[in-house]
């Protein structure tokens, strides 16, 4: 359904250092950049953008906005969380099972340097409720 998602940040180059570390733990990489305005991450195509707001006003965090990144293993979820914290992010939920989200749901939550809510999640798609 989604083509891409973007989050606003105040300093793209500063934010890119955070996202380079956190997303590489999940196997994603920086695939495009328009510095100093934007960088994009994905497998091969840009699907997650980190950018300055188009209106050039201050970046703000959306209340209720949350971006979840697919992980290939529990180890990758753990590595994402550790890398995000090491890169200056804030813990918003340590890696572990989330039985309230489903029997096999495993996730970790962090806030990026600008307060955007991020998650790495391992949950088999075939188990998603219809």
């Amino acid at each position: 359904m989604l083509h891409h998602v973007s989050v606003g940040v105040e300093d793209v180059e500063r934010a890119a250092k955070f996202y380079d570390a956190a997303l590489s733990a999940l196997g994603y990489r920086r695939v495009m950049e328009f510095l100093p305005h934007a960088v994009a991450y994905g497998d091969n195509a840009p699907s997650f953008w980190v950018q300055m707001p188009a209106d050039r006003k201050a970046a703000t965090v959306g209340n209720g906005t949350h971006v979840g990144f697919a992980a290939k293993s529990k180890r990758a979820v753990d590595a994402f969380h550790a890398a995000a914290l090491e890169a200056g992010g804030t813990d918003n939920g340590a890696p572990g099972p989330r039985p309230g989200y489903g029997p096999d749901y495993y996730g970790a939550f962090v806030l990026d340097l600008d307060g955007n809510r991020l998650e790495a999640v391992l949950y088999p798609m075939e188990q998603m409720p219809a």
Side-chain angles (χ1 to χ4, degrees), residues 48-128:
F48 179 74
W49 287 85
V50 176
Q51 62 192 34
M52 294 174 19
D55 65 5
R56 302 292 188 241
K57 294 181 181 175
T60 58
V61 178
N63 186 21
T65 301
H66 168 109
V67 179
F69 297 99
K72 295 179 179 141
S73 68
K74 288 180 181 180
R75 181 174 289 170
V77 171
D78 297 347
F80 163 85
H81 189 263
L85 297 183
E86 179 69 25
T90 303
D91 177 35
N92 199 32
R98 300 291 192 277
Y101 298 167
D104 295 317
Y105 198 104
Y106 188 88
F109 301 84
V110 298
L111 302 178
D112 76 1
L113 305 175
D114 291 276
N116 292 298
R117 294 178 39 129
L118 311 171
E119 176 186 9
V121 60
L122 175 67
Y123 192 75
M125 292 303 288
E126 62 271 9
Q127 293 183 16
M128 295 292 290

Side-chain angles (χ1 to χ4, degrees), residues 8-90:
V9 299
E10 290 296 319
D11 182 334
V12 171
E13 293 185 48
R14 175 177 158 256
K17 291 176 185 172
F18 169 85
Y19 281 101
D20 287 347
L23 294 181
S24 70
L26 296 174
Y28 303 118
R29 63 185 179 85
R30 193 187 310 188
V31 295
M32 197 173 282
E33 58 183 37
F34 297 98
L35 294 171
H37 304 289
V39 294
Y41 296 86
D43 292 320
N44 295 308
S47 56
F48 179 74
W49 287 85
V50 176
Q51 62 192 34
M52 294 174 19
D55 65 5
R56 302 292 188 241
K57 294 181 181 175
T60 58
V61 178
N63 186 21
T65 301
H66 168 109
V67 179
F69 297 99
K72 295 179 179 141
S73 68
K74 288 180 181 180
R75 181 174 289 170
V77 171
D78 297 347
F80 163 85
H81 189 263
L85 297 183
E86 179 69 25
T90 303

